[in-house]
Structures are given as structure tokens and as C-alpha cells.
Amino acid sequence: MQDQKEQQLEKKGRVVAIVIAGAMLLWMAVQWIGQAAGLPGRFAILFDLAAIAALIWALVNVYQIWRARREMQG
């Protein structure tokens, strides 16, 4: 049971890492492409907000992982 829970937490951690890396890479690419294409600033703000949403989601999940690991140890 404990081993299964640990595997679930590891999988959740990998998903969080992929979301963080993907959000930052996508955000940087959109910033560069938007500037090169001369898109208005409102599109940049839209993608900024999407990146912030992804990072908030990741932060919530990291907190959940931390709490679950703490409960497993104690």
C-alpha cells in the first residue's frame, strides 16, 4: 500500500515537473515569436496569465505532494 502511494506521488511529481518546464518553454517561445511577429501586448498578457495559471497549478500540486509525504513519514 505504501509503495503504491509512493509511486503515485512520484508520477504526480513528474507531471508537475513537465508542466513547469513546458509552461516556461512555451511562454518563452510565445514571447519571442510575439515580439518577432509584432503582435499586440494584449496577446503577451494572455500568455503571461496562462503561464501564471500553470505555475499556480504546479505549486498547489507540489504542496499536496509535500503534505502526502509528510503524512507517510509521520
Side-chain angles (χ1 to χ4, degrees):
M1 178 81 173
Q2 186 111 358
D3 190 41
Q4 184 182 12
K5 180 79 168 171
E6 185 65 31
Q7 287 178 348
Q8 289 174 342
L9 291 175
E10 289 174 3
K11 182 178 179 182
K12 193 172 188 177
R14 284 190 296 270
V15 169
V16 169
I18 290 169
V19 167
I20 291 170
M24 288 298 93
L25 289 173
L26 184 63
W27 177 77
M28 288 189 311
V30 167
Q31 295 298 316
W32 182 76
I33 291 169
Q35 187 177 15
L39 292 176
R42 64 181 175 190
F43 290 110
I45 292 172
L46 178 67
F47 285 105
D48 290 347
L49 292 174
I52 290 170
L55 293 176
I56 290 172
W57 177 88
L59 182 64
V60 168
N61 279 278
V62 166
Y63 179 73
Q64 290 173 349
I65 292 168
W66 175 71
R67 291 284 307 226
R69 287 218 168 119
R70 225 173 107 197
E71 288 175 8
M72 286 173 54
Q73 290 175 353

